[in-house]
Amino acid sequence: MRAQPAASHFVDGRPLEDETGAPIPVIYPATGEEIARLHEATPAVIEAAVASGVRAQAAWAAMRPVERARILRRASDLIRARNEELSLLETLDTGKPLQETLVADWASGADALEFFAGLAPTVTGETVPLGQDFVYTIREPLGLCVGIGAWNYPSQIACWKAAPALALGNAMVFKPSEVTPLGALKLAEILIEAGLPPGLFNVVQGRGGVGAALVTDSRVAKVSLTGSVPTGRRVYAAAAEGVRHVTMELGGKSPLIVFDDADLESAIGAAMLGNFYSAGQICSNGTRVFVQKGIKEAFLARLAERADAIRMGDPLDPEVQMGPLVSQAQLEKVLAYIEKARAEGGRLVCGGEASVSPGCYVQPTVFADVTDEMTLAREEVFGPVMAVLDFETEEEAIARANATDFGLAAGVFTADLTRAHRVVAQLQAGTCWINAYNLTPVEAPFGGVKLSGVGRENGRAAVEHYTQVKSVYVGMGPVDAPY
Ligand SMILES: NC(=O)c1ccc[n+]([C@@H]2O[C@H](COP(=O)([O-])OP(=O)(O)OC[C@H]3O[C@@H](n4cnc5c(N)ncnc54)[C@H](O)[C@@H]3O)[C@@H](O)[C@H]2O)c1
Ligand SMILES: C[N+](C)(C)CC=O
Ligand SMILES: [K+]
């Protein structure tokens, strides 16, 4: 199977190759096959990408918002029309089952382009009356933005960053994860086909070093990263050197609290979606499932039954519900967490093994009797490993849910809606779900508190993060100077 793109990079409206850059083999994680070979961006490629972005941005910002919006809207239509072909590529790049990529990845990317196309023309300033004088404000684009992606939702992440950036008049240089570099190149092609002027969305490939070079370029106004907390710390610090704007979408160890009056089937379904979808490689997963004592054994028994029925295997088989992890490295990391959970006294309820060889598969795994001190309750695994903890009172559940440095998401299952709102009000998380989990429609702001991030993607909130306000004071009378 080959998925070799025309060139590694996409700069100033066309594919660009420079084979002197270090090779990036692209691996299909279900078989270990190399499906493409790209090259890291050299300084010359980075320079071309940044220079063309800066050059193109001024004219783009000067266009009427509805004209910009029309192009993005066209791109979203093209994505939808090509969803099958794009989803197949996403499956090859990530190993996620076609059953998921057909509905969750590019589809959400198309939603973002459509949403920000609609929103951009509504973004206006305000007028502040000051007697006869007044101030008016203008929301201006920031300029050239850098987007850096993680490997779990490569095309969705590219779209979630490109859509608000472009809709609001910025240019973007995007660096995908070196683990899943293919989707962003397709987005660049589609945007050109939709009528985007060259230079406004450039893709450069590379590992952390290429990302670091972009973040510290003096022409860059903003950096939006989706990645881990350690990378977030480095990128945030590097961006601070130039006092650049940042959006940081980082990791989590999110709690999902299930009270004893909850609809058990729904709570179990949500816990499974929030731990096993995308083989557990989702930032907002509810990986600490707090179950109230009285229903614990019933919860675990039914959960094990449903988890054992998950169909694992070839991600290209439309019946398959769970594919491999993204890479051999991720497989080893996840298996090490499973071993540690056993060693620290977790009770294995189901799964626990690598499976279906070759490929990077891990069974859907559940540990019960997990305590707050165990590694499994503290560190982000990014694999299909659920920790079930039990609790007695509401106050206890809230305190333990918040006892983490992360704060990306949280969920509550209960039939008592007064309690649901009371609990959510006290949870330290950027996104909370009540009787639902992991739904991230583009209409809703998404992002973290505490170490899970700064800034928000999606929703109206994203406008704040891709524009800046200019205040214009208008004097209507003579200047009253004391000298
Ligand atoms: N909050 C969210 O929206 C969200 C979404 C998806 C994934 N994530 C998080 O991402 C992580 C998994 O993704 P990952 O393993 O690709 O993350 P990562 O932190 O290893 O890498 C993220 C990106 O940063 C780049 N990078 C690494 N070092 C850099 C540096 N010094 N300067 C600039 N760029 C650098 C990488 O090349 C990659 O493109 C998990 O922690 C997960 O929770 C968060
Ligand atoms: C944003 N989300 C939850 C779809 C993917 C994060 O890993
Ligand atoms: K890959």
Side-chain angles (χ1 to χ4, degrees):
M1 223 154 358
R2 291 296 286 172
Q4 185 70 34
S8 298
H9 320 287
F10 194 98
V11 172
D12 208 20
R14 49 190 182 276
L16 177 66
E17 192 52 270
D18 180 348
E19 292 189 350
T20 64
I24 302 178
V26 186
I27 307 297
Y28 176 42
T31 60
E33 238 177 303
E34 181 174 311
I35 54 168
R37 178 162 283 239
L38 308 184
H39 295 272
E40 285 202 76
T42 54
V45 169
I46 295 172
E47 174 56 32
V50 170
S52 81
V54 170
R55 204 178 320 120
Q57 192 262 331
W60 178 244
M63 273 168 73
R64 283 180 60 203
V66 287
E67 290 170 346
R68 294 199 300 259
R70 205 171 296 135
I71 292 168
L72 300 185
R73 179 57 209 253
R74 224 179 276 137
S76 102
D77 291 345
L78 288 171
I79 289 171
R80 282 191 221 290
R82 289 179 202 162
N83 186 45
E84 275 193 33
E85 161 206 330
L86 293 168
S87 301
L88 175 61
L89 185 67
E90 193 79 348
T91 285
L92 294 178
D93 212 4
T94 61
K96 294 193 290 182
L98 212 43
Q99 202 181 86
E100 289 187 15
T101 54
L102 281 168
V103 297
D105 293 82
W106 281 100
S108 168
D111 283 356
L113 288 158
E114 192 174 2
F115 176 79
F116 286 105
L119 186 60
T122 73
V123 173
T124 56
E126 57 181 354
T127 309
V128 185
L130 297 164
Q132 65 170 1
D133 291 356
F134 63 98
V135 164
Y136 65 91
T137 66
I138 307 173
R139 266 203 181 271
E140 296 181 333
L142 301 173
L144 178 64
C145 303
V146 163
I148 300 178
W151 46 255
N152 63 337
Y153 276 78
S155 301
Q156 185 194 93
I157 289 169
C159 291
W160 280 18
K161 296 188 191 309
L166 296 173
L168 296 161
N170 303 280
M172 175 165 274
V173 176
F174 186 80
K175 190 202 81 65
S177 165
E178 62 275 25
V179 181
T180 54
L182 300 178
L185 292 169
K186 286 285 170 199
L187 176 61
E189 273 173 34
I190 287 168
L191 284 165
I192 289 291
E193 195 177 331
L196 189 75
L200 289 167
F201 183 72
N202 296 324
V203 175
V204 299
Q205 307 291 351
R207 302 181 171 85
V210 171
L214 290 168
V215 169
T216 48
D217 192 291
S218 62
R219 293 161 289 183
V220 168
K222 185 216 165 86
V223 179
S224 175
L225 169 78
T226 297
S228 62
V229 170
T231 303
R233 282 202 166 106
R234 277 196 289 279
V235 171
Y236 199 169
E241 164 267 343
V243 199
R244 297 186 178 92
H245 295 256
V246 296
T247 297
M248 295 283 143
E249 293 288 354
L250 308 178
K253 191 76 207 178
S254 301
L256 170 55
I257 304 174
V258 182
F259 287 98
D260 58 12
D261 63 346
D263 176 323
L264 207 57
E265 279 300 294
S266 289
I268 289 167
M272 291 175 74
L273 282 168
N275 279 275
F276 303 145
Y277 204 72
S278 298
Q281 303 163 115
I282 298 186
C283 52
S284 48
N285 270 355
T287 50
R288 289 184 296 143
V289 180
F290 289 92
V291 180
Q292 203 159 17
K293 270 225 167 96
I295 56 164
K296 177 179 132 183
E297 291 308 329
F299 183 95
L300 288 171
R302 180 67 181 132
L303 171 62
E305 192 179 15
R306 288 178 65 178
D308 282 336
I310 290 176
R311 282 193 295 278
M312 291 186 75
D314 177 1
L316 296 174
D317 177 345
E319 298 301 314
V320 161
Q321 297 168 317
M322 200 169 138
L325 297 174
V326 76
S327 65
Q328 187 65 31
Q330 192 62 17
L331 174 72
E332 282 159 21
K333 196 183 133 195
V334 171
L335 291 175
Y337 273 116
I338 290 176
E339 277 325 301
K340 205 159 197 184
R342 282 186 214 263
E344 292 180 4
R347 166 161 62 107
L348 187 66
V349 174
C350 61
E353 305 289 334
S355 81
V356 207
S357 118
C360 312
Y361 292 86
V362 176
Q363 294 173 333
T365 298
V366 177
F367 280 98
D369 304 339
V370 176
T371 58
D372 298 348
E373 302 70 36
M374 287 171 55
T375 308
L376 190 61
R378 289 187 291 107
E379 295 183 16
E380 186 182 43
V381 175
F382 234 55
V385 187
M386 185 192 308
V388 177
L389 307 90
D390 35 79
F391 73 95
E392 289 183 35
T393 68
E394 181 180 315
E395 297 67 32
E396 174 201 344
I398 294 166
R400 290 171 60 200
N402 286 337
T404 166
D405 291 334
F406 294 111
L408 190 56
V412 181
F413 270 81
T414 174
D416 177 350
L417 284 181
T418 307
R419 168 159 69 190
H421 294 292
R422 183 171 65 228
V423 170
V424 155
Q426 297 170 76
L427 290 174
Q428 297 164 356
T431 297
C432 293
W433 289 278
I434 294 174
N435 295 332
Y437 204 81
N438 251 1
L439 301 173
T440 52
V442 299
E443 295 90 339
F446 182 80
V449 303
K450 295 156 75 180
L451 291 191
S452 292
V454 292
R456 292 292 177 269
E457 295 195 303
N458 292 339
R460 279 184 188 282
V463 173
E464 300 284 333
H465 303 290
Y466 282 99
T467 57
Q468 58 200 349
V469 174
K470 175 182 278 175
S471 280
V472 182
Y473 188 108
V474 181
M476 298 293 287
V479 172
D480 182 16
Y483 36 72

Coordinates of all heavy atoms in Angstrom, one line a residue, residues 148-152 157 175-178 206-208 211-212 215 225-228 231 234-235 249-252 283 380 382 408 446, ligand 1:
I148 N 0.8 23.8 15.2 CA 1.6 22.5 15.4 C 0.6 21.4 15.9 O -0.1 21.7 16.9 CB 2.8 22.8 16.4 CG1 3.7 23.9 15.9 CG2 3.5 21.5 16.6 CD1 4.8 24.2 16.8
G149 N 0.6 20.3 15.2 CA -0.4 19.3 15.5 C 0.1 18.1 16.2 O 1.3 17.7 16.2
A150 N -0.8 17.4 16.9 CA -0.5 16.1 17.5 C -0.9 15.0 16.5 O -1.5 15.3 15.5 CB -1.3 15.9 18.8
W151 N -0.7 13.7 16.8 CA -0.9 12.7 15.8 C -2.2 12.0 15.9 O -2.6 11.2 15.1 CB 0.2 11.6 15.9 CG 0.6 11.1 17.3 CD1 1.7 11.5 18.0 CD2 -0.1 10.3 18.1 NE1 1.7 10.9 19.2 CE2 0.6 10.1 19.3 CE3 -1.4 9.6 18.0 CZ2 0.2 9.3 20.4 CZ3 -1.8 8.8 19.1 CH2 -1.0 8.7 20.3
N152 N -3.0 12.3 16.9 CA -4.2 11.5 17.1 C -5.4 11.9 16.2 O -6.2 11.0 15.8 CB -4.7 11.5 18.6 CG -5.0 12.8 19.1 OD1 -4.6 13.8 18.5 ND2 -5.8 12.9 20.1
I157 N -7.3 18.4 13.6 CA -6.5 19.4 14.3 C -6.1 20.5 13.2 O -6.1 21.7 13.5 CB -5.3 18.8 15.0 CG1 -5.7 18.0 16.2 CG2 -4.2 19.9 15.3 CD1 -4.6 17.1 16.8
K175 N 2.6 22.8 11.0 CA 3.5 21.6 11.0 C 2.8 20.4 11.7 O 2.5 20.4 12.9 CB 4.8 21.9 11.9 CG 5.8 20.8 11.7 CD 6.8 20.7 12.9 CE 6.3 20.0 14.1 NZ 6.0 18.5 13.9
P176 N 2.4 19.4 10.9 CA 1.8 18.3 11.4 C 2.7 17.5 12.3 O 3.9 17.7 12.2 CB 1.4 17.4 10.2 CG 1.9 18.1 9.0 CD 2.7 19.3 9.4
S177 N 2.2 16.5 13.1 CA 3.0 15.6 13.8 C 3.8 14.8 12.8 O 3.3 14.3 11.7 CB 2.2 14.7 14.6 OG 3.0 13.5 15.0
E178 N 5.1 14.5 13.1 CA 5.9 13.6 12.2 C 5.4 12.2 12.1 O 5.7 11.4 11.2 CB 7.3 13.7 12.7 CG 7.6 13.1 14.1 CD 7.4 14.1 15.2 OE1 6.6 15.1 15.0 OE2 8.0 13.9 16.3
G206 N 8.2 18.0 9.8 CA 9.4 17.9 10.6 C 9.1 17.4 12.0 O 7.9 17.4 12.4
R207 N 10.1 17.2 12.8 CA 10.0 16.8 14.2 C 10.0 18.1 15.0 O 9.8 19.2 14.5 CB 11.1 15.8 14.5 CG 11.1 14.6 13.6 CD 12.2 13.6 13.9 NE 11.9 12.3 13.2 CZ 12.4 12.1 11.9 NH1 13.1 13.0 11.3 NH2 12.1 11.0 11.3
G208 N 10.3 17.9 16.3 CA 10.3 19.1 17.2 C 11.2 20.2 16.8 O 10.8 21.4 17.0
G211 N 9.4 22.5 14.5 CA 8.4 23.3 15.2 C 9.1 24.4 16.0 O 8.6 25.5 16.0
A212 N 10.2 24.1 16.6 CA 10.9 25.1 17.5 C 11.4 26.2 16.6 O 11.3 27.4 17.0 CB 12.1 24.4 18.2
V215 N 8.4 28.5 15.9 CA 7.9 29.2 17.1 C 8.7 30.4 17.4 O 8.2 31.4 18.0 CB 7.9 28.2 18.3 CG1 7.6 28.9 19.6 CG2 6.8 27.1 18.1
L225 N -0.6 25.2 19.6 CA -0.1 23.8 19.7 C -1.2 22.9 20.2 O -1.9 23.2 21.1 CB 1.1 23.8 20.6 CG 1.5 22.4 21.0 CD1 2.4 21.8 19.9 CD2 2.3 22.4 22.3
T226 N -1.3 21.7 19.6 CA -2.0 20.6 20.2 C -0.9 19.5 20.5 O -0.3 19.1 19.5 CB -3.1 20.1 19.3 OG1 -4.0 21.1 19.1 CG2 -3.8 18.9 19.9
G227 N -0.8 19.2 21.7 CA 0.3 18.2 22.1 C 0.3 17.9 23.5 O -0.7 18.2 24.2
S228 N 1.4 17.4 24.0 CA 1.5 17.0 25.4 C 1.9 18.1 26.3 O 2.3 19.2 25.8 CB 2.5 15.9 25.5 OG 3.8 16.4 25.1
T231 N 5.7 19.2 26.0 CA 5.9 20.0 24.7 C 5.3 21.4 24.9 O 5.8 22.4 24.5 CB 5.3 19.3 23.5 OG1 6.0 18.0 23.4 CG2 5.6 20.0 22.2
R234 N 7.4 23.8 26.7 CA 8.6 24.2 25.9 C 8.1 25.3 24.9 O 8.8 26.3 24.7 CB 9.3 23.0 25.2 CG 10.3 22.3 26.1 CD 11.2 21.4 25.2 NE 10.4 20.3 24.6 CZ 10.2 19.1 25.3 NH1 10.6 19.0 26.5 NH2 9.5 18.2 24.7
V235 N 7.0 25.0 24.2 CA 6.6 25.8 23.2 C 6.1 27.2 23.7 O 6.4 28.2 23.2 CB 5.5 25.1 22.3 CG1 4.9 26.1 21.3 CG2 6.1 23.9 21.6
E249 N -3.4 23.4 23.5 CA -4.4 22.4 23.7 C -3.6 21.1 24.1 O -3.0 20.5 23.3 CB -5.1 22.1 22.4 CG -6.0 23.2 21.9 CD -7.3 23.3 22.8 OE1 -7.5 22.5 23.7 OE2 -8.0 24.3 22.5
L250 N -3.5 20.9 25.4 CA -2.6 19.9 25.9 C -3.3 18.6 26.5 O -4.5 18.4 26.2 CB -1.7 20.5 27.0 CG -1.0 21.8 26.4 CD1 -0.2 22.5 27.5 CD2 -0.2 21.6 25.2
G251 N -2.7 17.8 27.3 CA -3.2 16.6 27.7 C -4.1 16.6 28.8 O -4.5 17.7 29.3
G252 N -4.6 15.5 29.3 CA -5.5 15.4 30.4 C -5.5 14.1 31.2 O -4.8 13.1 30.8
C283 N -7.3 13.2 23.8 CA -6.9 14.1 24.9 C -7.9 14.2 26.0 O -7.5 14.3 27.2 CB -6.6 15.5 24.4 SG -8.0 16.1 23.4
E380 N -1.2 10.4 32.0 CA -2.0 10.2 30.8 C -1.4 9.0 30.0 O -0.2 9.0 29.7 CB -1.8 11.5 29.9 CG -2.7 11.4 28.7 CD -2.5 12.7 27.8 OE1 -1.4 13.2 27.6 OE2 -3.6 13.2 27.3
F382 N -2.8 7.5 27.1 CA -3.1 7.7 25.7 C -3.2 6.3 25.0 O -2.5 6.0 24.0 CB -2.1 8.6 25.0 CG -2.7 9.7 24.2 CD1 -3.6 10.6 24.9 CD2 -2.4 9.9 22.9 CE1 -4.2 11.6 24.2 CE2 -3.0 10.9 22.2 CZ -3.9 11.8 22.8
L408 N -8.5 19.2 31.6 CA -9.1 19.4 30.2 C -10.6 19.2 30.2 O -11.3 20.0 29.7 CB -8.4 18.4 29.3 CG -8.7 18.6 27.8 CD1 -8.4 20.0 27.3 CD2 -8.0 17.6 26.9
F446 N -13.6 24.7 23.2 CA -12.9 23.5 23.7 C -11.5 23.9 24.1 O -10.8 24.6 23.3 CB -12.9 22.5 22.6 CG -12.2 21.2 23.0 CD1 -12.9 20.3 23.8 CD2 -10.9 20.9 22.7 CE1 -12.3 19.1 24.2 CE2 -10.2 19.8 23.2 CZ -11.0 18.8 23.9
Ligands
LIG1 N1 -6.2 19.3 24.1 C1 -6.3 18.8 22.9 O1 -7.0 19.3 22.1 C2 -5.4 17.7 22.4 C3 -5.8 17.0 21.3 C4 -5.0 15.9 20.9 C5 -3.9 15.5 21.6 N2 -3.6 16.2 22.7 C6 -2.4 15.8 23.5 O2 -1.3 15.5 22.6 C7 -0.5 14.5 23.1 C8 -0.2 13.4 22.1 O3 0.3 14.0 20.9 P1 1.8 14.0 20.6 O4 2.5 12.7 21.2 O5 1.9 14.2 19.1 O6 2.3 15.2 21.4 P2 3.8 15.9 21.4 O7 3.8 16.8 22.5 O8 4.8 14.8 21.4 O9 4.0 16.6 20.0 C9 3.0 17.5 19.5 C10 3.6 18.3 18.4 O10 4.7 19.2 18.9 C11 5.8 19.0 18.1 N3 7.0 19.4 18.9 C12 7.7 18.6 19.8 N4 8.6 19.3 20.4 C13 8.5 20.6 19.9 C14 9.2 21.8 20.2 N5 10.2 21.8 21.1 N6 8.8 22.9 19.6 C15 7.8 22.9 18.7 N7 7.1 21.8 18.4 C16 7.5 20.6 19.0 C17 5.8 17.6 17.6 O11 6.6 17.4 16.5 C18 4.3 17.4 17.3 O12 4.0 18.0 16.0 C19 -1.2 14.0 24.3 O13 -0.7 14.5 25.5 C20 -2.6 14.5 24.1 O14 -3.4 14.7 25.3 C21 -4.3 17.3 23.1

